[in-house]
């Protein structure tokens, strides 16, 4: 569970750059999709790669429920671009270089130095539906998020692949 942002609270809006250098704003995404927002430490590290590939492998299941997956780390847009291409990731990756948005979401560092790993499910009205934290069980983020969005039951007849 997040230290600050809990289910039932309003998710802070933000604008960050994607891997193509374009601005992506949470409130704009929420106009059409529920958002599965996951913060992770670093591209191309073992745990983060497992997490990203597991989100990739379940992406169509998320899209079928009307949910858009969005990953956030402090990596550069260039790193994100290579990471997406290398692993065929169909979802948005955003760069939070000063970890400022992560701080707004209450993401704590593990051992005081490693960026945290936490997932938020945000409804279209901006309400946090669920949070999940596990620094070392990356696959659990995907499984728990999919369980929550599937439980909500909204089906998207036109899922978008980013």
């Amino acid at each position: 569970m997040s230290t600050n942002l809990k289910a039932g609270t309003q998710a802070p809006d933000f604008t960050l750059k994607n891997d193509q250098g374009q601005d992506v704003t949470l409130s704009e995404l929420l106009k059409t999709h529920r958002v599965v927002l996951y913060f992770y430490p670093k591209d191309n590290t073992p745990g983060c790669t497992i997490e990203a590939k597991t989100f990739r492998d379940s992406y169509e299941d998320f899209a079928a429920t009307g949910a858009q997956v969005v990953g956030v780390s402090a990596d550069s847009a260039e790193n994100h671009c290579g990471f997406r291409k290398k692993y065929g990731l169909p979802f948005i990756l955003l760069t939070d270089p000063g970890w400022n948005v992560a701080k707004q979401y209450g993401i704590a560092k593990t051992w005081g130095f490693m960026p945290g790993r936490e997932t938020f499910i945000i409804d279209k009205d901006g309400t946090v539906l669920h949070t999940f934290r596990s620094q070392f069980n990356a696959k659990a983020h995907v499984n728990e998020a999919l369980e929550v969005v599937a439980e909500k039951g909204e089906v998207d007849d036109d899922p978008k692949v980013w």
Side-chain angles (χ1 to χ4, degrees), residues 12-110:
D13 197 16
F14 61 81
T15 300
L16 293 173
K17 301 279 186 196
N18 67 10
D19 64 302
Q20 300 299 309
Q22 301 163 323
D23 286 342
V24 175
T25 301
L26 177 63
S27 58
E28 289 298 312
L29 291 174
L30 291 172
K31 288 180 180 179
T32 56
H33 293 88
R34 183 180 302 129
V35 171
V36 175
L37 182 66
Y38 82 97
F39 291 85
Y40 65 99
K42 189 161 181 52
D43 292 342
N44 293 303
T45 58
C48 297
T49 299
I50 288 168
E51 183 177 28
K53 288 168 56 177
T54 305
F55 269 116
R56 176 201 64 200
D57 295 347
S58 299
Y59 186 77
E60 292 301 321
D61 295 329
F62 282 104
T65 69
Q68 173 63 52
V69 176
V70 178
V72 180
S73 79
D75 290 294
S76 69
E78 183 178 75
N79 281 355
H80 280 338
C81 188
F83 188 52
R84 279 190 71 214
K85 287 178 182 175
K86 183 176 182 178
Y87 295 106
L89 306 178
F91 48 85
I92 299 170
L93 292 179
L94 300 177
T95 182
D96 185 13
W99 210 234
N100 294 316
V101 172
K103 290 174 191 168
Q104 288 180 325
Y105 277 73
I107 309 296
K109 292 188 175 189
T110 301

Side-chain angles (χ1 to χ4, degrees), residues 69-153:
V69 176
V70 178
V72 180
S73 79
D75 290 294
S76 69
E78 183 178 75
N79 281 355
H80 280 338
C81 188
F83 188 52
R84 279 190 71 214
K85 287 178 182 175
K86 183 176 182 178
Y87 295 106
L89 306 178
F91 48 85
I92 299 170
L93 292 179
L94 300 177
T95 182
D96 185 13
W99 210 234
N100 294 316
V101 172
K103 290 174 191 168
Q104 288 180 325
Y105 277 73
I107 309 296
K109 292 188 175 189
T110 301
W111 301 317
F113 68 91
M114 183 188 306
R117 182 185 314 278
E118 191 157 352
T119 300
F120 299 85
I121 293 90
I122 305 168
D123 212 353
K124 287 182 181 180
D125 66 0
T127 302
V128 176
L129 297 174
H130 186 78
T131 68
F132 180 75
R133 168 182 278 167
S134 176
Q135 187 70 14
F136 302 108
N137 190 351
K139 285 186 177 184
H141 286 262
V142 180
N143 297 333
E144 189 156 332
L146 189 54
E147 188 175 301
V148 170
V149 296
E151 182 180 289
K152 297 299 176 187

